[in-house]
Amino acid sequence: MTDPLFQQDAYLRTAAGQVISHTEEGGLVLNQSVFYPTGGGQPGDTGALSWDGGHLNIINTVKGEAGAIVLIPEPDAALPPVGADVSQSLDWDRRMGHMRIHTALHLLSVVLPLPVSGGAIGAEKGRLDFNMPEAPEDKQALEDALNALIARDLEVTERWITDAELDAQPDLVKTMSVSPPRGSGRIRLVRIGTQSDQIDLQPCGGTHVNRTGEIGAIRLGKVEKKGKQNRRVYIHLVA
């Protein structure tokens, strides 16, 4: 099992680590990881590893078995041996883009309070698929509402609940296509706003900014029809 350092501090850019195994597919597993693995619509992190006598680029990060986080190296790269101490370095600009977009998508689900059937996160844009038979009548009003929430510079925090507590509050789950990660006995909730002035609360294993002001201005992109009952709504970072 890999200790997911990004859950403790999403702003951690570098960290030490030790190689605990290689995978049959050519990946490697560390005892702790600053790299976020693909999941919940958020792409796996990229970056680099260095060690005594070696360096390689990490082109993706995925989930392995039994809680392992697998780093995918560039093709034909020489891997550090099992037991080697390494230094991890994150592609920070890309991760920060993911954090800004991911948090903005949580807010999009507030200004469009409809069931979510899918989503995807990029470093500069993202989208949510809504159970929405008709397209929004006023896209500008939605964009203005979204940016107004961002400009309030709301705090983004987390807390943990048990599987049983989530089962007792099924309305917390907004995304129909992605189930909250289970198996550890507890589930992470991400809150935007304070307990007394809560804007959003939902299960999420991804990385987020600490305050909504860090997102910056958002532009609402195209709205695509993806079936009789669904619309895909895109958002873009302005800068």
Side-chain angles (χ1 to χ4, degrees):
M1 180 173 180
T2 309
D3 183 13
L5 298 177
F6 49 83
Q7 284 189 351
Q8 304 164 28
D9 182 2
Y11 288 77
L12 191 63
R13 306 185 190 193
T14 61
Q18 186 177 70
V19 180
I20 58 176
S21 68
H22 294 165
T23 69
E24 293 181 358
E25 296 77 18
L28 63 156
V29 179
L30 306 182
N31 64 329
Q32 57 181 15
S33 176
V34 73
F35 296 88
Y36 175 86
T38 302
Q42 182 170 329
D45 282 327
T46 57
L49 292 185
S50 59
W51 64 97
D52 187 17
H55 176 93
L56 64 78
N57 294 321
I58 300 300
I59 61 172
N60 196 11
T61 307
V62 299
K63 295 176 182 177
E65 297 181 356
I69 294 175
V70 182
L71 308 184
I72 308 300
E74 58 191 336
D76 303 320
L79 303 184
V82 173
D85 293 320
V86 299
S87 176
Q88 308 175 57
S89 179
L90 197 62
D91 181 343
W92 174 247
D93 288 343
R94 182 172 179 270
R95 157 71 83 76
M96 187 58 172
H98 294 162
M99 290 164 61
R100 293 168 68 194
I101 287 291
H102 199 156
T103 312
L105 289 175
H106 279 226
L107 292 176
L108 180 63
S109 75
V110 173
V111 300
L112 268 173
L114 298 168
V116 176
S117 57
I121 296 160
E124 298 179 352
K125 68 178 182 179
R127 52 92 173 166
L128 288 179
D129 298 344
F130 291 94
N131 187 351
M132 182 169 52
E134 301 297 330
E137 293 184 2
D138 192 339
K139 281 179 56 180
Q140 188 60 53
L142 288 176
E143 182 179 296
D144 292 344
L146 180 58
N147 281 306
L149 285 176
I150 292 169
R152 288 176 60 183
D153 197 27
L154 300 159
E155 66 177 356
V156 183
T157 57
E158 65 178 57
R159 67 184 180 92
W160 295 82
I161 62 172
T162 65
D163 290 357
E165 287 175 308
L166 181 63
D167 291 338
Q169 304 173 76
D171 56 309
L172 288 174
V173 181
K174 293 185 176 183
T175 306
M176 300 181 293
S177 63
V178 179
S179 299
R182 294 176 181 258
S184 66
R186 61 179 194 155
I187 291 170
R188 178 173 174 256
L189 296 181
V190 172
R191 170 185 281 132
I192 300 179
T194 62
Q195 188 169 0
S196 60
D197 185 22
Q198 181 173 288
I199 303 302
D200 187 53
L201 180 69
Q202 59 178 293
C204 185
T207 58
H208 300 270
V209 294
N210 284 338
R211 305 193 68 89
T212 61
E214 297 175 73
I215 297 170
I218 288 289
R219 175 177 63 85
L220 200 67
K222 59 185 177 181
V223 177
E224 295 180 340
K225 186 174 182 179
K226 302 302 290 185
K228 185 177 180 180
Q229 298 293 324
N230 292 281
R231 295 293 185 280
R232 176 168 291 177
V233 181
Y234 288 88
I235 61 170
H236 301 258
L237 297 177
V238 173

